[in-house]
Amino acid sequence: APQKEKILLERVTMGAGGQLNALGVSSNHQKGERNNSFERINESHADDTVFIVGGYTRCELLAHTPKDESKIGDDDDEENASFSVEERKASKKEENEEMKSKAGVHVLSLDGRTGQLEMVTTNDIGPNVAFVTRHPTKPDVIYASTERIDVEGEVVTMRLTRDLRLKEIARCSAGGKSTCYLNFNKSNRYMMSVNYWDAKLALIHLDDLGRPETPNTVFMQPGAKYVDDKKPTREEHWEFRQRWPHSHCIVTEPYHNMLHFVVDLGLDRIFVYRVGEPSTMVTAPEFVCKASVKLQPGKGPRHLVFHQTLKTAYLVNELDSTVSVFNVNVNDEWMEQLPLANEQPTMKTFDDEKDTKEESDETAALNVFQCISTLPEGSREQKVFTDRGVWKAASHASEIRVHPSGKFLYVGNRGHDSIACFKIDAEDGSLEFIAAVPSGGKCPRNFHFSANGGFVCVGNQNSSNVASFAVCPESGMLELVHVRHSVCLPNYVYPIPKSTLDLVTSSDDDEDVVL
């Protein structure tokens, strides 16, 4: 379509990240042509990206029920249209069988000029890799979490080889069940893990090579002991999403990199923590709570993101498909040096009743000033909530991300199967709804931007595909470019710029360089 061509041309010549770049469309690189080489340095593009995509492998272990609804007969490539319906069905059936045998963690390559996606490898790592990240200062160390409710989840340490396969190096306990988020404290000496099912937060020491050890500290959110006492089933969880706490992420503010915001879907609250480190490795580190924000009941908060330059934060609320926009208020006292874990505390301790503030309180750590739906008006169905947390809705929000330019914000809608696009006001950070663009598949659980922000790659869980969209640098609108099928049950999308691959990859046969 002409509009799509326009977006692609603007993105290639200017870069969606707002950075002028001298690269244009090569005369011998036509739209739709794939880049199969990782060594074309002279022809590289700022948006060339490798995506690591986590995939569910054992759905019976999850708190929820992903369902592969990919249809036999879906066309992966335009050239398939020349075959008969029967031939395409036979081909797709064969692909589906192959896909089931290749479930795991996928590595895809995105061509920064065209947005075309190429499946490079699928790696037998699991079960249910649900979050992927890298060490803050050791780019060759990659971590993933495993999501399960039968036993504790794990942190898997990996390396990316030069042929873009993932090599597992080590595993350790994540300190709780259904591990859904990983982060690091300011010193990068500790990994922080979040466990959804039993609302446990863990601090895990990292050795000099970046390898995580057994959790040093495990802290359970107030009320989460219900899991240990009652041992609820996932059927109970489906019916009562807010019967007990469900911590969903731990996000560090970008102003001091010292405060960690924990979002709890079950409690409709956000907790603000500092990490107190020990003076020796004999004494365990600890989470020190500094503040708590109480949200409107029934919203079911999921993920929080901060704007890069404004003191504004955005919270996606899973259960009612909205985004809450906050002014961020950081108390200077929270930045003071914490006592070491083996010393007597000298500062005020957190009082849950006195130090918890309503989101409407202007002095709260997060003070809400806008709440906006992620769905277009015709799709905002009536939701049903009770004091026990029963909920019904046709769509539930998933991931939220601010574009690298700081001009736009995007949210996934599972059920409506769309990506909501918002424009960010440059002065106060408020949002203006632009559109909800079809996600290219079913149940868009996660998405991320290419290296220069020119594309968005969306993992559509229930249709087992990954879709790439061109980002218009002026309007923020998305245009579908390519859909890569046979990516089994994708749930997390993590980008690595191809320009950094030399820092990340190692030789597959060089055992000595692998951690």
Side-chain angles (χ1 to χ4, degrees):
Q3 178 67 14
K4 183 186 294 186
E5 296 288 356
K6 180 175 184 292
I7 291 177
L8 282 170
L9 182 59
E10 287 177 345
R11 192 206 56 73
V12 170
T13 56
M14 293 296 296
Q19 300 174 350
L20 180 64
N21 108 35
L23 292 173
V25 178
S26 171
S27 59
N28 62 355
H29 195 94
Q30 302 298 319
K31 179 178 177 289
E33 183 179 322
R34 293 175 186 155
N35 176 11
N36 291 314
S37 171
F38 303 104
E39 305 298 332
R40 289 167 48 178
I41 303 301
N42 293 331
E43 299 180 47
S44 64
H45 189 279
D47 267 312
D48 289 344
T49 308
V50 167
F51 286 95
I52 299 178
V53 180
Y56 288 131
T57 56
R58 294 191 59 189
C59 297
E60 74 278 8
L61 303 180
L62 297 170
H64 54 102
T65 54
K67 183 179 180 183
D68 185 2
E69 300 176 9
S70 53
K71 294 180 180 178
I72 294 176
D74 284 346
D75 291 326
D76 197 357
D77 303 300
E78 292 179 3
E79 57 265 27
N80 286 345
S82 61
F83 295 97
S84 68
V85 173
E86 289 75 17
E87 288 173 323
R88 293 203 303 273
K89 284 184 177 181
S91 174
K92 183 55 65 176
K93 185 175 182 179
E94 184 177 337
E95 289 178 12
N96 287 347
E97 291 302 318
E98 182 181 4
M99 179 178 65
K100 291 176 183 178
S101 68
K102 290 186 176 181
V105 184
H106 316 279
V107 179
L108 282 73
S109 169
L110 179 132
D111 187 307
R113 289 181 174 81
T114 67
Q116 294 286 303
L117 289 164
E118 191 76 22
M119 174 71 84
V120 184
T121 62
T122 296
N123 303 269
D124 186 15
I125 297 173
N128 302 328
V129 165
F131 190 91
V132 179
T133 190
R134 283 195 289 173
H135 190 284
T137 61
K138 303 177 188 299
D140 56 335
V141 182
I142 299 173
Y143 305 102
S145 68
T146 62
E147 185 179 334
R148 59 193 305 169
I149 64 173
D150 59 331
V151 296
E152 289 186 349
E154 295 176 304
V155 177
V156 183
T157 306
M158 303 174 290
R159 288 285 295 269
L160 189 66
T161 66
R162 289 174 185 165
D163 58 355
L164 300 186
R165 291 185 293 110
L166 288 167
K167 188 167 187 176
E168 182 178 327
I169 304 304
R171 287 179 180 244
C172 77
S173 169
K177 297 178 179 180
S178 197
T179 312
C180 59
Y181 210 95
L182 304 175
N183 198 353
F184 307 89
N185 79 322
K186 187 172 184 177
S187 71
N188 298 324
R189 292 170 55 190
Y190 291 93
M191 173 183 286
M192 302 175 289
S193 67
V194 175
N195 300 282
Y196 172 85
W197 186 253
D198 45 14
K200 289 180 179 178
L201 311 177
L203 281 166
I204 306 170
H205 182 256
L206 303 175
D207 67 18
D208 291 341
L209 295 176
R211 292 174 298 195
E213 301 169 348
T214 302
N216 301 85
T217 299
V218 178
F219 171 77
M220 179 179 277
Q221 292 284 29
K225 198 170 183 297
Y226 180 89
V227 176
D228 293 338
D229 293 342
K230 302 297 184 180
K231 296 181 171 44
T233 65
R234 66 176 184 171
E235 288 77 14
E236 180 178 346
H237 168 259
W238 300 338
E239 186 176 1
F240 303 102
R241 288 295 305 278
Q242 296 186 297
R243 176 165 275 179
W244 67 92
H246 292 297
S247 298
H248 223 304
C249 67
I250 183 165
V251 181
T252 306
E253 45 76 22
Y255 321 111
H256 306 278
N257 294 314
M258 296 173 71
L259 298 175
H260 312 292
F261 289 67
V262 174
V263 175
D264 196 289
L265 182 149
L267 296 176
D268 286 319
R269 284 175 71 178
I270 299 174
F271 299 88
V272 184
Y273 291 100
R274 281 278 306 274
V275 171
E277 292 194 27
S279 58
T280 69
M281 291 315 300
V282 176
T283 306
E286 61 181 348
F287 286 104
V288 180
C289 194
K290 291 296 181 181
S292 171
V293 180
K294 186 180 295 186
L295 309 174
Q296 182 181 334
K299 301 195 80 66
R302 182 178 175 91
H303 286 167
L304 181 76
V305 292
F306 290 89
H307 194 274
Q308 300 95 316
T309 59
L310 302 173
K311 275 207 167 179
T312 308
Y314 304 93
L315 176 72
V316 62
N317 300 300
E318 177 176 335
L319 298 188
D320 74 348
S321 296
T322 61
V323 175
S324 298
V325 187
F326 300 94
N327 290 316
V328 181
N329 301 308
V330 175
N331 190 322
D332 289 340
E333 293 181 358
W334 301 343
M335 301 300 117
E336 293 178 2
Q337 178 66 41
L338 290 171
L340 298 173
N342 58 350
E343 294 179 350
Q344 284 293 109
T346 58
M347 58 181 64
K348 183 176 85 71
T349 58
F350 176 77
D351 185 305
D352 186 65
E353 184 176 345
K354 294 180 180 179
D355 295 331
T356 296
K357 298 184 178 181
E358 300 286 341
E359 63 177 353
S360 57
D361 188 328
E362 291 185 356
T363 65
L366 296 172
N367 167 227
V368 68
F369 67 89
Q370 184 187 20
C371 187
I372 185 170
S373 177
T374 66
L375 299 169
E377 284 193 25
S379 300
R380 299 171 191 172
E381 294 89 355
Q382 180 69 35
K383 288 91 178 173
V384 178
F385 297 95
T386 76
D387 57 358
R388 295 189 300 169
V390 180
W391 57 273
K392 292 180 181 178
S395 187
H396 294 93
S398 57
E399 188 56 280
I400 181 171
R401 296 195 189 276
V402 176
H403 188 268
S405 68
K407 295 166 60 177
F408 312 109
L409 180 135
Y410 301 91
V411 175
N413 291 312
R414 296 169 294 177
H416 189 258
D417 295 339
S418 63
I419 303 297
C421 311
F422 298 89
K423 183 178 179 180
I424 298 176
D425 185 279
E427 297 297 325
D428 65 6
S430 61
L431 298 178
E432 177 188 346
F433 183 80
I434 302 172
V437 177
S439 68
K442 296 182 178 181
C443 193
R445 187 175 184 85
N446 203 270
F447 60 88
H448 222 307
F449 304 105
S450 58
N452 198 43
F455 294 94
V456 174
C457 280
V458 180
N460 290 295
Q461 173 189 285
N462 287 1
S463 52
S464 288
N465 66 35
V466 175
S468 62
F469 293 80
V471 180
C472 178
E474 300 301 324
S475 69
M477 273 295 290
L478 304 181
E479 286 286 342
L480 181 64
V481 174
H482 186 224
V483 178
R484 172 57 56 187
H485 294 282
S486 302
V487 183
C488 189
L489 296 171
N491 60 52
Y492 197 81
V493 180
Y494 184 80
I496 297 177
K498 281 192 184 178
S499 61
T500 68
L501 283 184
D502 285 345
L503 300 174
V504 180
T505 57
S506 62
S507 172
D508 183 41
D509 54 6
D510 188 352
E511 297 292 341
D512 294 333
V513 303
V514 181
L515 290 185

